[in-house]
Amino acid sequence: MNTAETVEMLKFVADAAISSKEELCRLDSYVGDGDHGFTVERGFSAVKTMLEETDFDSPKEALEATGDELADTMGGAIGLIIGGLFTGGAEAIDDKADIDTEDVYALLNAGLEEIKLVGGAKEGDRTLIDALSPACDAFKSAMDQGASLKECTGCAAEAAEKGAEATKDMVAKKGRAKFLQEESKGHIDAGAVTMSKIIRAMSDYINE
């Protein structure tokens, strides 16, 4: 993907996140404040405006700017965490005109490590990591078998959605939901769904 395509992908991701506001608020209402969808909408609306008003010289630059904008506008730890997918991921990509399959994997994997560092969570803690981590694994597995970027992102999106769904059987260990302990089970984590929608939107754009 060249710079223009990367920017269009990020706009596509922003639209998907914004349109998920009501679903994310509903999911968050079971174990949280019920405002996660508004937070996501605010951050990605700002991202879309920024992308439309800014010229970028490389995919790396656009990804970094997206992460920074999310961190600045979403507020609280969640902005740094979701933004970390893009800022942390961009650090693993060279500043070049086009990014390929290996670069997109590097983006997701380095983003995962950044999110773990910022949020202090790990797999099984019932967070967005439980969507992103299996997505990285699925992408890597497909890539190692010689799959195309379209195929790799498709595998990652499916794994992210399954990972998000699996959080309903986990006990929350981070965020407000951790105070509910066993009562947090039975509900899908809103953050994990947010991450799965980001990865699905990336896949849908690339596959189009």
Side-chain angles (χ1 to χ4, degrees), residues 148-206:
S148 66
L149 176 59
K150 290 182 178 182
E151 293 167 331
C152 289
T153 54
C155 290
E158 290 181 11
E161 289 162 353
K162 290 178 181 177
E165 181 72 22
T167 61
K168 70 181 179 181
D169 297 320
M170 299 177 185
V171 175
K173 297 178 182 177
K174 294 289 179 180
R176 184 179 295 273
K178 71 181 179 182
F179 297 109
L180 297 174
Q181 298 183 11
E182 286 291 328
E183 291 181 24
S184 63
K185 293 178 70 173
H187 303 291
I188 299 172
D189 179 65
V193 172
T194 301
M195 182 57 65
S196 73
K197 288 184 179 296
I198 289 171
I199 297 172
R200 171 56 69 185
M202 292 173 66
S203 173
D204 286 349
Y205 176 82
I206 290 169

Side-chain angles (χ1 to χ4, degrees), residues 19-37:
S19 66
S20 302
K21 178 182 71 173
E22 291 186 8
E23 178 185 357
L24 297 176
C25 283
R26 177 178 58 81
L27 292 171
D28 189 44
S29 68
Y30 297 125
V31 295
D33 294 332
D35 62 352
H36 181 67

Side-chain angles (χ1 to χ4, degrees), residues 56-69:
F56 301 98
D57 294 324
S58 66
K60 179 185 180 78
E61 198 174 278
L63 291 162
E64 285 178 334
T66 296
D68 289 342
E69 191 70 20

Side-chain angles (χ1 to χ4, degrees), residues 86-115:
F86 302 101
T87 52
E91 290 180 3
I93 298 173
D94 291 334
D95 200 10
K96 56 187 180 180
D98 298 275
I99 55 176
D100 57 19
T101 305
E102 291 188 1
D103 293 316
V104 175
Y105 171 69
L107 164 71
L108 295 175
N109 193 56
L112 171 63
E113 294 307 313
E114 177 71 11
I115 288 171

